[in-house]
Amino acid sequence: GRPAGGLDPQQQRGTASMFFYTVPEGQRVLATDQNGKIEVIEGPARVLRWGKRFQPMKHYVAHPGDFLVVRFRDGRQEHLAGPAHCWFDPRTHLSVEAEEAVQIADKEAVVVYAEAAGEGASVNRRIVRGPATFVPGPGEWLHTFSWHGPAGDGTYRKVPNALIFQKLWQMPDQMYHDVEEVRTADDAQLTIRLMIFFELRDIERMLESTHDPIGDFVNAATSDVVE
């Protein structure tokens, strides 16, 4: 399985004798001398222990479909798309962790926001369409949609914020909707069950026109049925 947080579990610790410290092949350690100077020693190596303190370095790995979030002590941040790896160096790194990239299938899309460089700069928006593996850059985030969806009570009523997601589906689709307590001209009470067919073709137009198109469909259809 995927290692937790991207930390490589296959780490071999160095061995120490009376005079020497041995670093295995494929490993790295931080050697700190009496003056506080730190040196990275890459295995295979055998070094004198006198006046030195040794600390194994943590190794982080991102496989295809993952990426490493590397945060630096100077405030910078880098995202390394897998396959990639990083040795944690406390002199420069604040934290390293692995996250899953966003897998976007064909006929799917995500809306990405990014902070423009410079003080007081605006936020830019772009659309990423599949098929693709999306790795957000530093300062980027995905739009989270919150639409009307099924009430979950066995009916086809729609309630606000029942659908929360980040991937838009651009294929023809349909949904059921119950319009309850509809009265006829002779005062009979009915529940009208609708099937609504729709297709998302213009994402930019949708973003500029509504924050909940399913809610708009439901409200408009309910108004027409009641009338």
Side-chain angles (χ1 to χ4, degrees), residues 15 26 28 32 37 41 43 72 76 96 108 177 199 203 217:
T15 57
R28 296 183 184 183
T32 307
K37 183 179 180 181
I41 300 177
F72 294 85
R76 293 181 296 118
V96 180
E108 288 184 341
H177 174 56
E199 179 181 357
I203 296 177
F217 296 163

Side-chain angles (χ1 to χ4, degrees), residues 147-151 155-159 162-163 165 169 171-179 192-199 212-222:
W147 291 358
H148 273 66
T155 69
Y156 289 105
R157 292 186 304 112
K158 297 295 183 292
V159 295
L163 296 177
F165 60 96
W169 179 245
M171 287 283 285
D173 205 350
Q174 70 277 336
M175 67 177 181
Y176 292 99
H177 174 56
D178 284 354
V179 183
I192 306 297
R193 177 159 296 175
L194 302 176
M195 177 180 281
I196 302 175
F197 297 87
F198 60 94
E199 179 181 357
D212 183 358
I214 301 300
D216 293 346
F217 296 163
V218 167
N219 292 336
T222 298

Side-chain angles (χ1 to χ4, degrees):
R2 179 183 287 110
L7 183 62
D8 185 356
Q10 304 299 325
Q11 281 192 291
Q12 298 176 351
R13 300 186 67 88
T15 57
S17 64
M18 183 176 295
F19 298 106
F20 295 96
Y21 187 93
T22 302
V23 183
E25 184 176 3
Q27 299 297 313
R28 296 183 184 183
V29 300
L30 297 172
T32 307
D33 65 18
Q34 293 176 330
N35 297 320
K37 183 179 180 181
I38 298 177
E39 177 187 5
V40 176
I41 300 177
E42 183 175 355
R46 189 166 181 257
V47 295
L48 283 170
R49 291 181 58 193
W50 185 260
K52 291 186 175 68
R53 185 165 45 87
F54 299 93
Q55 177 185 358
M57 297 180 69
K58 293 181 179 179
H59 186 223
Y60 292 86
V61 179
H63 299 284
D66 298 336
F67 64 98
L68 290 178
V69 179
V70 184
R71 296 182 177 91
F72 294 85
R73 300 184 69 89
D74 61 3
R76 293 181 296 118
Q77 181 170 313
E78 289 183 359
H79 292 183
L80 307 178
H85 72 107
C86 177
W87 291 92
F88 182 81
D89 189 336
R91 296 174 298 177
T92 58
H93 296 145
L94 191 63
S95 67
V96 180
E97 60 184 346
E99 295 186 9
E100 291 188 41
V102 180
Q103 305 296 332
I104 310 173
D106 191 24
K107 299 297 184 180
E108 288 184 341
V110 295
V111 179
V112 183
Y113 293 94
E115 294 180 351
E119 184 178 351
S122 61
V123 174
N124 299 322
R125 183 181 69 195
R126 75 180 193 276
I127 298 170
V128 179
R129 292 177 169 82
T133 298
F134 173 69
V135 175
E140 291 187 334
W141 67 93
L142 297 182
H143 183 98
T144 299
F145 297 92
S146 181
W147 291 358
H148 273 66
D153 56 2
T155 69
Y156 289 105
R157 292 186 304 112
K158 297 295 183 292
V159 295
N161 306 317
L163 296 177
I164 299 177
F165 60 96
Q166 293 181 322
K167 297 179 187 178
L168 291 167
W169 179 245
Q170 290 194 278
M171 287 283 285
D173 205 350
Q174 70 277 336
M175 67 177 181
Y176 292 99
H177 174 56
D178 284 354
V179 183
E180 300 173 334
E181 299 181 4
V182 178
R183 293 190 178 276
T184 63
D186 55 356
D187 206 32
Q189 184 171 305
L190 303 174
T191 294
I192 306 297
R193 177 159 296 175
L194 302 176
M195 177 180 281
I196 302 175
F197 297 87
F198 60 94
E199 179 181 357
L200 175 58
R201 294 183 178 179
D202 191 333
I203 296 177
E204 285 286 358
R205 184 176 179 183
M206 182 203 72
L207 293 172
E208 295 171 358
S209 303
T210 178
H211 68 280
D212 183 358
I214 301 300
D216 293 346
F217 296 163
V218 167
N219 292 336
T222 298
S223 177
D224 290 345
V225 169
V226 170
E227 183 179 351

